[in-house]
Amino acid sequence: CSIKLAVQENGLVALVHDADQTHKFNTVKWLNVTTTQSWFSIYWERDEFGDDIYPNPANDCGGGTCEKVDEYTCLCDTNLEDGPAMSEMPTREQVLTLSIGAFSPEMFDDGTYSLIGDAGGVQAYRRNEPVQLGH
């Protein structure tokens, strides 16, 4: 199975579980492309006019990059890239342009995070123990 992204004509997205044929009827409705109600917004790239650029039925689902589900929705493949977001310490100006962030390490118990970089008003931390998922 794989995780896909459903994209509505207005740019809202939903995660979709693409189960193989043997499990297709056991997929929960909020992970199914035709029944999901779990739509959320994301930041899309913008063109020179400031308009969001994303696959939608009006642009043939990104020029055929994604599959057209119906007149309102495209279904796109996803891929996971595991690695650092940056290869070197960013500048303060670069950090201030980011749309996401993290809680301050001081909010956690002592020893949870360690400072690994401090330059130009930007600090980088690393979690000392891996996060245990599913426990």
Side-chain angles (χ1 to χ4, degrees):
C1 68
S2 63
I3 300 296
K4 295 193 174 208
L5 192 66
V7 184
Q8 286 186 329
E9 63 182 345
N10 60 5
L12 292 177
V13 299
L15 295 177
V16 173
H17 181 95
D18 188 32
D20 62 30
Q21 290 296 330
T22 58
H23 296 97
K24 191 166 284 244
F25 298 105
N26 294 328
T27 304
V28 291
K29 66 181 177 182
W30 58 87
L31 294 177
N32 182 294
V33 70
T34 58
T35 58
T36 186
Q37 297 296 310
S38 301
W39 299 97
F40 57 95
S41 62
I42 64 172
Y43 291 98
W44 294 103
E45 288 187 43
R46 293 181 181 233
D47 63 18
E48 66 271 14
F49 304 110
D51 295 326
D52 290 338
I53 303 170
Y54 57 89
N56 60 73
N59 66 18
D60 192 31
C61 291
T65 304
C66 300
E67 170 190 346
K68 187 174 180 180
V69 176
D70 56 35
E71 62 184 303
Y72 309 107
T73 313
C74 297
L75 185 63
C76 306
D77 291 326
T78 62
N79 65 345
L80 175 65
E81 292 184 23
D82 187 14
M86 299 179 182
S87 59
E88 58 188 41
M89 193 74 157
T91 65
R92 180 171 176 76
E93 291 74 28
Q94 288 171 320
V95 170
L96 292 175
T97 66
L98 299 176
S99 302
I100 60 172
F103 293 110
S104 172
E106 287 91 24
M107 293 182 65
F108 299 90
D109 294 335
D110 286 343
T112 302
Y113 288 91
S114 295
L115 181 66
I116 60 170
D118 188 352
V122 176
Q123 295 179 329
Y125 291 83
R126 177 181 300 142
R127 187 174 175 90
N128 292 325
E129 297 291 328
V131 175
Q132 298 297 317
L133 300 175
H135 292 273

